[in-house]
Amino acid sequence: TDCAAEAIRQVCKEVEGVCVGAGTVYTPAQAHEALDGGADFIVSPGFDAAVARACRARGALYLPGVITPTEVMMVSSRYKLQYLKFFPASNFGGAGTLKSYQAIFQNIKFMPTGGVTEQNISEYTSLKNVFAAGGSWFVSDALIAKGSSSGDWSEVTSAAAAASKAAKGS
């Protein structure tokens, strides 16, 4: 979004101890802008070699989106990436596909996004090859708008706590 760079800068400046990532990054320029603002890692819907090189040069974690075994093999062997975004997870077999990948990609860890919900997140996070999972259900536009206008972020905080609890399977 247009305000992403400013939001990253503001969160990094005002919130102590937070790990900030920038998502839907397509270009090296976007990656540099996010990293200049304080982002700790970069996430893309797919793989881009130039973004991978930019992140490597900056010492930043790059999580490109992959789906197929060929994509996983390419980014892990050619670019030495071991942490990958599995996107869109629900459209391509979800937790079942990642469970199958455990045996053949033993050194690769995934972050599924796309179709991850409060109801199914623990199916993903219970897998040994999943290090994180992403979803937007707990940060709806309405909750963000309400928190932004009122300064009261308690509903977003509560929704995030519920998402964390669901991810832990409790």
Side-chain angles (χ1 to χ4, degrees), residues 4-13 20-22 25 27-42 54-55 57-61:
E6 179 55 32
I8 289 168
R9 279 191 292 278
Q10 190 170 350
V11 168
C12 290
K13 179 181 174 185
V20 176
V25 173
T27 68
Q30 290 173 322
H32 286 299
E33 183 176 29
L35 295 169
D36 289 345
D40 298 295
F41 63 96
I42 301 296
C55 289
R58 300 284 298 267
L61 177 64

Side-chain angles (χ1 to χ4, degrees), residues 85-109:
K85 175 181 176 178
F86 183 67
F87 172 78
S90 67
N91 294 66
F92 290 92
T97 298
L98 288 176
K99 186 174 183 179
S100 296
Y101 283 3
Q102 285 180 143
I104 55 175
F105 300 119
Q106 296 177 6
N107 296 321
I108 306 298
K109 302 292 183 191

Side-chain angles (χ1 to χ4, degrees), residues 25-119:
V25 173
Y26 297 108
T27 68
Q30 290 173 322
H32 286 299
E33 183 176 29
L35 295 169
D36 289 345
D40 298 295
F41 63 96
I42 301 296
V43 182
S44 295
F47 175 77
D48 183 86
V51 174
R53 286 190 297 271
C55 289
R56 175 158 289 149
R58 300 284 298 267
L61 177 64
Y62 176 46
L63 301 169
V66 298
I67 287 292
T68 68
T70 301
E71 292 170 331
V72 175
M73 289 171 61
M74 189 270 297
V75 300
S76 64
S77 64
R78 289 187 193 166
Y79 293 90
K80 310 299 183 217
L81 300 176
Q82 293 185 308
Y83 291 85
L84 307 171
K85 175 181 176 178
F86 183 67
F87 172 78
S90 67
N91 294 66
F92 290 92
T97 298
L98 288 176
K99 186 174 183 179
S100 296
Y101 283 3
Q102 285 180 143
I104 55 175
F105 300 119
Q106 296 177 6
N107 296 321
I108 306 298
K109 302 292 183 191
F110 296 93
M111 178 185 71
T113 67
V116 177
T117 66
E118 187 170 359
Q119 291 72 37

